[in-house]
Amino acid sequence: MTAVRLPQGLPRRLPVRQVLCLVPLALVLVVAVQHRSVLAEGFGHLRSAEWPWLVVAAAATCLTWVAAAFTRQGAVVQRLPARRLLATQFAAGAANHLLPTGLGASAVNLRFMTVCGVPLARSSAALALYMLAEAITRTGLLLVLLVAFPDALRLGGVVPSSAAGPLLFAAAGAVCVAVAVLLSVRRLRTAVLSFLRTALYEARTVHSRPARALALWGGSLAFPVLQAAGLTAVGRAMELPVPPAHMAIAYLAATLAVAAVPTPGGIGSVEAALVVALVAAGGPVAVATAVVLAFRIITVWLPLLPGALTLGALMRLKVI
């Protein structure tokens, strides 16, 4: 049997997986070019900051990936490979900043769990449980801090009081429309009920194991605490005249406010919300803006390229 040779001069086709591995790098380049002015200004602020506090902020950022790995493991009964799980969280962070908020990390983690042998229905339920636990702990932490520091945010001079009514009305209208669509479409209603049954079963199974429950809720609490600590450290590095607890409240309030905004990684919306929250906490506009830009450089832009490279490597190795 003779081997078939390709005619000379014809280019060889690259495998689809190799091409997909290059997509994250291309997206990083596109996003960096689009936000080059923000990058330049952010790096300029970093040069004038106190570096020991910046090291603390960078360390807190690195620990958020560990917290995310604990939470992901806590949301599923099956044991996941620890090193690959941690690498996946680092890569998921990059994917989350390149795609609409939440979709990038969700897709990466869903693919990782299915490759590890977790059925799709259970992987989706684990993903929903992770998001629910993260939302509950973030909201609960904010409420506790607001009770402890009721005067931390002074929104009266920043957000018009007349805007609260329309925002609540729009949120209530969106919920009513979603419920109406769910009740009127039979297939959608059946699919949602089936998913809820699977999710409830997985939640009961996870909470029947103390180690999994501790990882789920401990990691969910540690994640926003570490993020808020990173912002507080950057604020101290740039001498923002706002108490650390107030900066933490500002961060939690801002991130909850933009959670539903479908922008890649919250880029643009998170910065604006954080500046508004820090100003509401008593910070000068110029310093608050500098702190936010420096904070986003540390938490988003510096890990973006290595995160994209890790994502490409995981795709090439068929980990995801």
Side-chain angles (χ1 to χ4, degrees):
M1 184 175 180
T2 58
V4 179
R5 294 183 179 179
L6 290 174
Q8 294 293 331
L10 290 180
R12 293 184 178 181
R13 294 184 179 180
L14 288 174
V16 176
R17 183 171 289 274
Q18 291 186 4
V19 175
L20 291 177
C21 292
L22 299 176
V23 172
L25 298 179
L27 290 176
V28 169
L29 179 61
V30 171
V31 174
V33 170
Q34 290 178 343
H35 298 85
R36 57 187 179 276
S37 59
V38 175
L39 284 170
E41 187 174 356
F43 278 109
H45 292 309
L46 285 177
R47 286 197 296 268
S48 60
E50 297 179 11
W51 68 266
W53 285 110
L54 297 182
V55 173
V56 173
T61 300
C62 294
L63 289 175
T64 58
W65 301 316
V66 179
F70 271 96
T71 312
R72 299 287 183 185
Q73 177 62 85
V76 64
V77 176
Q78 180 175 330
R79 185 173 182 82
L80 303 173
R83 292 181 181 178
R84 283 185 282 172
L85 175 60
L86 182 58
T88 300
Q89 301 319 301
F90 183 49
N96 212 39
H97 296 308
L98 298 174
L99 296 174
T101 305
L103 292 181
S106 299
V108 170
N109 280 286
L110 192 63
R111 176 62 181 168
F112 173 70
M113 285 187 285
T114 53
V115 170
C116 290
V118 183
L120 181 59
R122 292 174 54 195
S123 299
S124 302
L127 190 63
L129 181 58
Y130 168 88
M131 296 174 67
L132 179 63
E134 203 275 338
I136 290 175
T137 51
R138 188 179 292 262
T139 305
L141 181 61
L142 175 61
L143 292 177
V144 169
L145 288 176
L146 284 175
V147 170
F149 305 95
D151 299 326
L153 295 180
R154 297 182 292 275
L155 295 174
V158 180
V159 179
S161 57
S162 58
L167 288 175
L168 291 176
F169 181 78
V175 172
C176 292
V177 170
V179 172
V181 171
L182 178 62
L183 294 176
S184 60
V185 181
R186 183 176 180 179
R187 288 187 175 181
L188 180 60
R189 183 172 65 251
T190 302
V192 170
L193 291 176
S194 176
F195 172 76
L196 288 176
R197 283 193 294 268
T198 303
L200 289 174
Y201 174 78
E202 288 297 314
R204 288 195 300 268
T205 305
V206 164
H207 285 86
S208 66
R209 302 191 176 193
R212 291 290 185 268
L214 179 61
L216 174 66
W217 294 102
S220 297
L221 179 62
F223 190 83
V225 168
L226 289 167
Q227 288 183 319
L231 178 63
T232 302
V234 175
R236 295 295 298 272
M238 307 190 72
E239 299 180 351
L240 179 68
V242 176
H246 293 195
M247 279 191 272
I249 291 173
Y251 176 81
L252 294 170
T255 51
L256 283 173
V258 301
V261 178
T263 56
I267 293 176
S269 57
V270 170
E271 285 85 348
L274 279 174
V275 170
V276 170
L278 289 177
V279 171
V285 177
V287 182
T289 303
V291 167
V292 170
L293 290 176
F295 172 71
R296 295 291 276 177
I297 288 290
I298 293 174
T299 58
V300 176
W301 295 104
L302 287 180
L304 192 56
L305 180 57
L309 291 172
T310 303
L311 180 59
L314 293 177
M315 293 172 62
R316 185 176 180 84
L317 296 173
K318 299 183 180 181
V319 174
I320 57 176

